[in-house]
Amino acid sequence: MAEVLDRNIRISTRVKYALDEMRGTKSCNELIEQMINYFEVTGYNPRRPNIDSIQKIGRRIEDLIKIVKSQEKDIFRPLLDKSFSSGNMSMNNEQLVRLANEN
């Protein structure tokens, strides 16, 4: 069995309140152990914020926006134009599926 050492740490009242809110029914020891495991698994170091990861997420979001805009321009706009040019504003689902398959 692992040796258990009793240690005290000094924290501010605000941090204590936040810790109590986070831990719920767990003990402080369990919560801190989970935090340490999270840092080990994710590789995140709270002393050195990982700006690179934040920038990567931002680039991925921009890529998704580009994909959606491309689909709008290449797929949805031609479908809409065909439906308006045919003069039939109230197309049923079968006609929309047919137009989508054509494109």
Side-chain angles (χ1 to χ4, degrees), residues 11-70:
I11 57 176
S12 70
T13 305
R14 184 183 61 80
V15 172
K16 170 71 169 117
Y17 178 75
L19 189 65
D20 288 340
E21 287 290 314
M22 289 174 123
R23 72 184 179 102
T25 59
K26 296 180 182 130
S27 69
C28 287
N29 187 59
E30 289 174 319
L31 180 63
I32 293 170
E33 189 174 337
Q34 283 183 334
M35 289 177 180
I36 291 170
N37 287 336
Y38 172 80
F39 294 143
E40 289 173 350
V41 168
T42 62
Y44 181 78
N45 184 349
R47 284 180 267 144
R48 192 178 37 114
N50 195 349
I51 302 299
D52 189 43
S53 293
I54 295 169
Q55 290 172 343
K56 284 180 184 177
I57 291 171
R59 286 194 297 268
R60 297 290 74 95
I61 291 171
E62 289 174 5
D63 290 344
L64 287 172
I65 291 170
K66 288 177 185 176
I67 290 169
V68 169
K69 285 183 178 182
S70 173

Side-chain angles (χ1 to χ4, degrees), residues 6 15 18 43 49 52 61 71 79 95:
D6 288 332
V15 172
D52 189 43
I61 291 171
Q71 286 179 337
L79 278 175
Q95 290 171 323

Side-chain angles (χ1 to χ4, degrees), residues 83-97:
S83 67
F84 280 124
S85 66
S86 68
N88 186 2
M89 298 295 288
S90 60
M91 299 181 75
N92 61 26
N93 287 341
E94 293 173 12
Q95 290 171 323
L96 290 174
V97 169

